Amino acid sequence: MFSLHSYYQQDIQCMNLMPLPWERLRGKRILLAGATGLIGTFLVDTLFSINSIRQLGMTVYAVGRDEDTARQRFDDIWEDPRFSFYPWDVTQPAAFPEPVDFVIHAACDTQPTRILEHPVETMMSNIYGTENLLEVAHDCGAKRFLFLSSGSIYGEPWRADDCVNESYYGSLSCNTVRAAYAESKRAGETLCKSWRSQYGLDVVIARLAHVYGPTMRQDDTKPLSQMILDCAKQQNIVLHEDGDRHVSCCYVADAVMGILYVLLTGKNGSAYNIAGSSGKLHTLKDIAEFLADYAGTKAIYDMPDREAQIGQFLEKVANRQVAFDVPEKKERLDSVLYTNTKLDTHKLQGLGWQRRTELADGLKRTVSTLQEGGLIVEESDEDVRNASLEAAKEAAASLRERHKTVQRDNGGLKGFLRRMR
């Protein structure tokens, strides 16, 4: 789906030039959960490119809930004997039918609207899904389990200028709905360390900043994703807040490069931050302005709740082509992701990883790939939001029903998992 686009090809080809111990993948079988997501898609394409160039003979088992999406994203390798897709919702325990050498857990819903609408399902999905994949890794004799966590686990930094390393503990209140995502990621990390301690499973953890790139889903409700899509459609850039908040961003190619460094060279039991640049943040306003300038779209300012500040704000950005629309909601949608933490990446750099893509270049490459491939679906914002919420409701209903069934018929999830063993 993406492999024919020039920038995408360049990004994939650059991955093969990385000085990684690729021979460790020779003949190996990799189970990738969340294969149809933003990161999973790029990772599958990268592995197959490296497999082809270096003739490693590795096999990829891609796991996801939607086979139709998988067929669209992996149409060029669907018939390859080294690729298999398994339609599996990882929140449901199952015995994997194939031997596996590496398990990569990238299955997670990061949509702010879904997290706020269904915080219970968000937590259960992260916790149950991680437990079930750890079970598979253990039973299949996997050599390593890689958990994709998030910089959100640090919560809010104690001081605004803190650059957090992997031993940092920020301020994260569990007594709020917005903590559902971050707390369940924390729980997932603890599960990984517990399996390492109790069962001797080799585990590594990647804590990711906000990742963006052309493989993102078009129903992605995160502000950065929506701004990129607006830019690709050459529409006004709409930001649903004043844009003063800072975010830590990472282009998908750099993120996947970091993931591979952690998978192949990371220390057993260790966690590694992955971000676009160590300790650097960008305001959403600056990103919006850059994308608006790049798209050449019209400036519209609509901040009904900030009348007192409009005059001063417009004076600052009078020549910028950005549309601002501040909602009255108490909770900002993407505040559930705690994206304003400066991640220190020196530990990952110690493995040999280096960020290659500046934010401006990454945004241009993303927009160009989406436009070049005709990958933009013309839908209204309301259509996208409704589709996202409808999918979330269906997933939530399914998860609740399974949870009730497990509790009623199997003495709870723990009893069910014991019987699965």
Side-chain angles (χ1 to χ4, degrees):
M1 179 176 178
F2 300 94
S3 59
L4 298 179
H5 311 307
S6 57
Y7 278 136
Y8 197 79
Q9 286 180 336
Q10 291 174 17
D11 289 335
I12 294 293
Q13 290 166 5
C14 283
M15 303 296 286
N16 184 58
L17 301 177
M18 296 300 101
L20 278 164
W22 298 116
E23 282 297 313
R24 294 181 184 177
L25 295 177
R26 183 169 296 283
K28 296 301 187 290
R29 296 150 298 194
I30 301 173
L31 187 159
L32 172 58
T36 60
L38 187 161
I39 294 172
T41 299
F42 193 93
L43 183 52
V44 169
D45 287 340
T46 296
L47 290 172
F48 264 84
S49 174
I50 293 168
N51 204 26
S52 175
I53 293 171
R54 297 179 179 269
Q55 296 295 298
L56 295 176
M58 65 176 154
T59 301
V60 175
Y61 303 130
V63 170
R65 290 185 293 188
D66 188 346
E67 184 170 341
D68 290 338
T69 299
R71 283 183 177 274
Q72 292 174 359
R73 295 206 158 208
F74 308 123
D75 57 336
D76 53 333
I77 60 172
W78 193 260
E79 301 299 330
D80 192 304
R82 294 290 182 179
F83 175 85
S84 296
F85 178 77
Y86 290 87
W88 174 30
D89 180 349
V90 296
T91 63
Q92 184 173 1
F96 197 73
E98 306 288 348
V100 173
D101 297 297
F102 295 99
V103 176
I104 303 174
H105 181 10
C108 179
D109 193 343
T110 61
Q111 300 304 306
T113 51
R114 297 179 190 175
I115 293 171
L116 288 178
E117 291 282 343
H118 301 284
V120 175
E121 286 72 23
T122 295
M123 294 198 71
M124 294 303 99
S125 177
N126 282 335
I127 296 170
Y128 287 3
T130 303
E131 168 68 13
N132 293 335
L133 285 166
L134 285 164
E135 181 88 21
V136 166
H138 178 264
D139 290 349
C140 292
K143 294 177 174 58
R144 169 155 284 188
F145 182 95
L146 169 57
F147 177 54
L148 298 197
S149 185
S150 168
S152 295
I153 64 106
Y154 297 114
E156 298 290 352
W158 292 111
R159 295 179 297 272
D161 59 347
D162 280 351
C163 183
V164 306
N165 61 25
E166 290 78 2
S167 62
Y168 186 93
Y169 300 96
S171 174
L172 179 57
S173 172
C174 61
N175 192 28
T176 172
V177 170
R178 71 191 289 246
Y181 176 80
E183 287 287 9
S184 56
K185 280 295 187 185
R186 278 186 168 186
E189 289 197 19
T190 304
L191 274 171
C192 291
K193 298 300 287 285
S194 298
W195 273 81
R196 177 176 181 266
S197 174
Q198 187 169 343
Y199 298 111
L201 189 64
D202 184 310
V203 300
V204 283
I205 297 165
R207 293 173 180 166
L208 293 152
H210 182 92
V211 180
Y212 68 95
T215 50
M216 66 185 185
R217 297 177 65 93
Q218 292 194 36
D219 61 353
D220 192 331
T221 56
K222 291 188 287 295
L224 179 56
S225 301
Q226 288 300 304
M227 289 191 292
I228 290 173
L229 290 170
D230 287 342
C231 180
K233 297 173 185 177
Q234 295 187 309
Q235 297 176 350
N236 294 329
I237 308 301
V238 180
L239 186 61
H240 298 284
E241 57 181 90
D242 59 17
D244 288 338
R245 190 161 44 87
H246 291 74
V247 293
S248 176
C249 303
C250 188
Y251 185 54
V252 65
D254 290 333
V256 168
M257 188 194 313
I259 288 167
L260 289 171
Y261 267 96
V262 174
L263 179 70
L264 296 175
T265 66
K267 181 181 177 181
N268 182 13
S270 292
Y272 298 84
N273 290 337
I274 302 178
S277 56
S278 188
K280 188 173 183 179
L281 299 177
H282 302 272
T283 66
L284 288 175
K285 178 173 66 178
D286 288 342
I287 297 173
E289 291 171 3
F290 172 83
L291 288 171
D293 287 341
Y294 186 64
T297 49
K298 184 179 179 181
I300 299 176
Y301 300 90
D302 180 14
M303 301 188 298
D305 296 331
R306 300 284 297 277
E307 289 86 357
Q309 300 180 27
I310 286 180
Q312 180 182 1
F313 184 78
L314 292 183
E315 184 178 351
K316 291 181 181 179
V317 294
N319 296 322
R320 303 292 188 176
Q321 296 181 328
V322 186
F324 291 89
D325 176 17
V326 179
E328 296 181 2
K329 286 188 176 182
K330 183 178 180 180
E331 295 251 33
R332 290 182 307 219
L333 284 181
D334 69 331
S335 65
V336 297
L337 300 179
Y338 295 92
T339 54
N340 61 335
T341 303
K342 298 178 183 177
L343 298 182
D344 185 332
T345 61
H346 284 91
K347 186 176 179 180
L348 181 63
Q349 291 173 29
L351 299 180
W353 175 88
Q354 292 291 332
R355 186 258 303 154
R356 296 173 57 89
T357 312
E358 294 285 353
L359 177 62
D361 186 37
L363 291 172
K364 289 179 180 179
R365 298 176 83 85
T366 299
V367 170
S368 296
T369 299
L370 292 171
Q371 291 176 331
E372 177 187 341
L375 300 174
I376 297 296
V377 177
E378 294 295 339
E379 293 182 298
S380 68
D381 292 340
E382 189 65 22
D383 288 339
V384 171
R385 185 175 187 277
N386 288 340
S388 178
L389 291 176
E390 189 60 34
K393 291 177 182 177
E394 292 178 3
S398 175
L399 183 57
R400 280 196 299 269
E401 187 58 34
R402 284 197 303 275
H403 180 50
K404 291 177 182 177
T405 301
V406 168
Q407 287 186 317
R408 182 179 64 249
D409 298 338
N410 300 287
L413 177 68
K414 292 182 179 178
F416 181 65
L417 289 173
R418 283 195 296 271
R419 278 184 283 278
M420 288 291 291
R421 295 193 185 102

